[in-house]
Amino acid sequence: MRQVHLTVLLSFAAFATAFLPSASQHDHRSTKDAKVLILGGGVAGVIAARTLHRKGIDDFLIVEARDELGGRMQNYTFGVPGKQYTIELGPNWIQGTQTGNGTANPILVLARKHHVKNQYNNYDSITTYDYNGFKEYRHLLDTSYNQFVQTGVVAGERVETQQVDLSLQSAYGIIGATPKNLYEAACQYYEVDWECKYFLLSRLDPANHCDGTSISCTGQNSWIATAWNNNFTFDTDMGGFSDTNNLCIDQRGFKTIIQAEAAEFLQPQQVSLNSVVTSIEYSDDGATVTLTDGTTLTSDYVLCTFSLGVLQYGDVAFKPALPSWKMEAIQSLVMATYTKIFLQFEENFLMAIYADKERGRYPIWQSLDHVKFFPGSGLVFVTVTGDFSLRIEAMEDSDVQAEVMEVFRAMYPNITVPDPVAFHFKRWNADPLFRGSYSNWPASFLPGHSTNLRATVNQTLWFAGEGTSLKYYGFLHGAYYEGLHAGGEIAKCVEDGGCAGLQHVNTVLDASPYPFVSITP
């Protein structure tokens, strides 16, 4: 029986090296503005463009809403004058690197190629606290990890026997591992909400006080999808890269990997920055994309690499409206939010787990003031996820800082903890260009939804991004592989003068019918 095992889990660069297509490349020029419009200049969009270029197709245009390439790879200059550092507001880790001479994560390959500094992130040195200060419960981390592994083992058994998918919350209940107190809940948060990925983010209930009877964080995660998503990245026995994560500490920003890669093949006229898409009109004959300033762009093919959150929110109008099978696929996923709250102090603090009566209340604290990161920086960041992220996005920065410091001072009751000299976090859900951080499969996960999320509409409208990746959703390398795949398939269409595109499933069916003839009176 196969078992599914779990392991721990741009300003736009100068085009000095860009070049014109060689005479040997095929001429696929369109009578429209471009043969292919690539909407979004993140990892998926740039890698799709690179794939087209390598196939000899340079009649494309990347349409990017921001003033640089990189998508959610965004950095920020943080700290008081004289002690400022580049911090990553979005993706920060190369997750699953490489084992020996095995297959390397393509994000690691890009980082090596462009000399983007990254450092192994060791999570072993952890101190544990509750609202009364230091509290030793590190031994529960091993228990929590073993329980998480067990959910993966049982998930594999369910796959083999074709049992219906359930939530991770159900999985913990089935194996008898429901947290019984706030310390067990905090350790489970560390394993599931924070460390196990990736970070596969759950929607937390900020009103849920952790009395040992509820694990709402796991209620939105697919049991089976969580297992294989983790395996394909971290478990080498299942085709993953490695069980290690590297933290990007390059002062140019993590986005350098995609901006420097783009600079090797893009010409300035192949990118339109500060171009926000408002609508896409499509048919079998091509598409017309309209921008906020009224500009229209026409093409034979359109590749949408928008965030799942943007598609769910309806920020871009499709004309005609997307078919029901596509809309169901889009709405079948959860757009999760993962927030890093940065603080700078005059002194250093260690990595910590904080157990509060309210599950998910500022639980994971990491110090960047480390000899291998930013020594002497006084930088700390605390992570919140899901609905707790949404909650603080609705608050003033000063009120969030006050809450954070209340927790921080509770962790150190015997010393005077001063206010931070700098404070910052990004509101990912409120950003209309993203509407969240990562896509996540909920408990209602069905493979047909993944097929339909990726499928083309009218052979003209294509979709790619980390959210369309069945194996690597939520990861940068998921966006990479999806850009590679979409670019290759579109190139075939261009070369052949048309194609059927990626097919969809008309109706995603349940495993077995309900025992009712009708649900109407």
Side-chain angles (χ1 to χ4, degrees):
M1 178 179 295
R2 178 177 179 268
Q3 293 181 331
V4 182
H5 297 282
L6 294 180
T7 57
V8 174
L9 282 173
L10 310 145
S11 63
F12 187 49
F15 290 105
T17 58
F19 50 87
L20 291 168
S22 66
S24 63
Q25 291 176 306
H26 302 294
D27 183 8
H28 296 291
R29 297 298 304 176
S30 171
T31 57
K32 299 173 182 175
D33 291 305
K35 194 75 177 177
V36 183
L37 289 176
I38 300 173
L39 308 184
V43 172
V46 170
I47 297 304
R50 189 191 69 178
T51 304
L52 290 171
H53 170 75
R54 289 180 175 178
K55 297 286 187 179
I57 300 167
D58 282 286
D59 187 9
F60 60 79
L61 176 67
I62 297 177
V63 181
E64 168 54 44
R66 300 178 65 244
D67 60 0
E68 61 178 358
L69 298 179
R72 281 165 267 183
M73 303 176 78
Q74 298 180 25
N75 55 265
Y76 180 79
T77 301
F78 180 72
V80 295
K83 288 184 69 174
Q84 292 185 322
Y85 299 85
T86 297
I87 58 173
E88 299 296 334
L89 303 177
N92 212 148
W93 292 266
I94 301 171
Q95 293 160 314
T97 53
Q98 183 180 20
T99 300
N101 294 321
T103 302
N105 185 317
I107 303 302
L108 179 64
V109 173
L110 289 178
R112 288 170 173 168
K113 176 180 178 181
H114 300 296
H115 308 290
V116 173
K117 189 175 181 180
N118 59 94
Q119 175 63 44
Y120 170 62
N121 203 165
N122 186 352
Y123 299 128
D124 291 339
S125 179
I126 299 172
T127 308
T128 52
Y129 300 85
D130 65 12
Y131 49 86
N132 290 316
F134 173 76
K135 176 75 173 180
E136 181 60 76
Y137 52 90
R138 285 178 299 176
H139 63 285
L140 295 177
L141 287 171
D142 290 335
T143 301
S144 183
Y145 169 71
N146 291 333
Q147 290 170 345
F148 191 43
V149 169
Q150 183 61 24
T151 67
V153 172
V154 181
E157 296 170 355
R158 296 185 74 84
V159 170
E160 285 296 320
T161 55
Q162 297 184 327
Q163 295 182 66
V164 68
D165 189 23
L166 297 172
S167 69
L168 269 181
Q169 178 172 338
S170 300
Y172 275 100
I174 287 171
I175 68 171
T178 300
K180 300 301 188 296
N181 55 56
L182 59 91
Y183 306 111
E184 292 182 1
C187 291
Q188 187 193 73
Y189 185 100
Y190 177 85
E191 291 295 342
V192 178
D193 302 66
W194 182 77
E195 187 176 30
C196 305
K197 182 170 160 128
Y198 30 102
F199 301 94
L200 245 187
L201 307 171
S202 310
R203 291 193 176 275
L204 309 181
D205 179 2
N208 171 36
H209 291 273
C210 207
D211 58 3
T213 62
S214 176
I215 50 173
S216 65
C217 69
T218 55
Q220 287 287 335
N221 283 2
S222 160
W223 182 1
I224 291 174
T226 297
W228 74 44
N229 177 258
N230 177 78
N231 290 349
F232 290 134
T233 291
F234 296 110
D235 192 335
T236 54
D237 290 338
M238 298 296 173
F241 306 108
S242 79
D243 62 358
T244 59
N245 300 310
N246 283 9
L247 182 77
C248 175
I249 56 174
D250 198 294
Q251 291 301 281
R252 296 170 296 170
F254 201 4
K255 65 190 179 187
T256 301
I257 66 169
I258 209 64
Q259 292 180 351
E261 189 71 8
E264 291 190 349
F265 69 92
L266 285 179
Q267 299 181 68
Q269 64 268 28
Q270 290 176 307
V271 181
S272 178
L273 299 176
N274 298 304
S275 301
V276 180
V277 175
T278 59
S279 68
I280 303 171
E281 187 173 355
Y282 64 95
S283 69
D284 291 339
D285 297 324
T288 299
V289 173
T290 302
L291 309 181
T292 51
D293 64 1
T295 299
T296 59
L297 301 168
T298 58
S299 66
D300 292 327
Y301 302 97
V302 170
L303 174 60
C304 298
T305 69
F306 302 132
S307 157
L308 171 70
V310 169
L311 294 173
Q312 290 181 332
Y313 205 83
D315 290 297
V316 177
F318 290 89
K319 303 175 183 178
L322 293 174
S324 59
W325 57 264
K326 175 64 77 172
M327 288 303 300
E328 179 181 330
I330 290 170
Q331 297 299 335
S332 69
L333 273 74
V334 171
M335 188 64 183
T337 305
Y338 178 95
T339 307
K340 291 179 287 183
I341 305 169
F342 291 89
L343 307 95
Q344 186 178 50
F345 295 96
E346 295 294 345
E347 57 184 299
N348 183 24
F349 294 92
L350 300 176
M351 181 172 179
I353 297 178
Y354 169 72
D356 193 87
K357 294 178 181 179
E358 183 178 352
R359 189 185 187 284
R361 184 171 185 257
Y362 309 112
I364 309 296
W365 295 75
Q366 297 178 82
S367 173
L368 293 175
D369 191 341
H370 185 278
V371 64
K372 294 185 177 180
F373 297 155
F374 305 130
S377 66
L379 294 182
V380 174
F381 67 98
V382 56
T383 303
V384 294
T385 59
D387 283 351
F388 213 98
S389 287
L390 305 188
R391 174 183 173 275
I392 68 168
E393 285 196 17
M395 298 167 59
E396 297 293 333
D397 279 20
S398 58
D399 293 331
V400 177
Q401 178 176 319
E403 281 195 353
V404 169
M405 291 309 299
E406 178 186 357
V407 167
F408 204 28
R409 288 172 177 135
M411 292 164 61
Y412 297 94
N414 299 321
I415 64 174
T416 300
V417 180
D419 285 337
V421 296
F423 180 88
H424 184 78
F425 71 95
K426 179 175 174 62
R427 291 169 167 82
W428 282 106
N429 184 264
D431 190 327
L433 300 182
F434 302 101
R435 304 291 185 187
S437 304
Y438 301 92
S439 63
N440 182 28
W441 280 107
S444 57
F445 168 81
L446 288 172
H449 289 139
S450 178
T451 297
N452 286 353
L453 191 64
R454 206 185 202 199
T456 53
V457 180
N458 282 64
Q459 296 78 50
T460 301
L461 198 55
W462 294 67
F463 296 82
E466 52 86 9
T468 65
S469 174
L470 183 63
K471 292 172 66 174
Y472 307 111
Y473 64 87
F475 285 114
L476 280 178
H477 48 277
Y480 180 98
Y481 284 124
E482 288 301 284
L484 197 68
H485 177 264
E489 292 299 313
I490 294 173
K492 293 177 184 177
C493 295
V494 173
E495 292 167 346
D496 295 342
C499 62
L502 302 180
Q503 300 304 299
H504 69 274
V505 178
N506 284 322
T507 305
V508 179
L509 300 176
D510 219 335
S512 59
Y514 289 96
F516 313 115
V517 175
S518 174
I519 60 172
T520 57

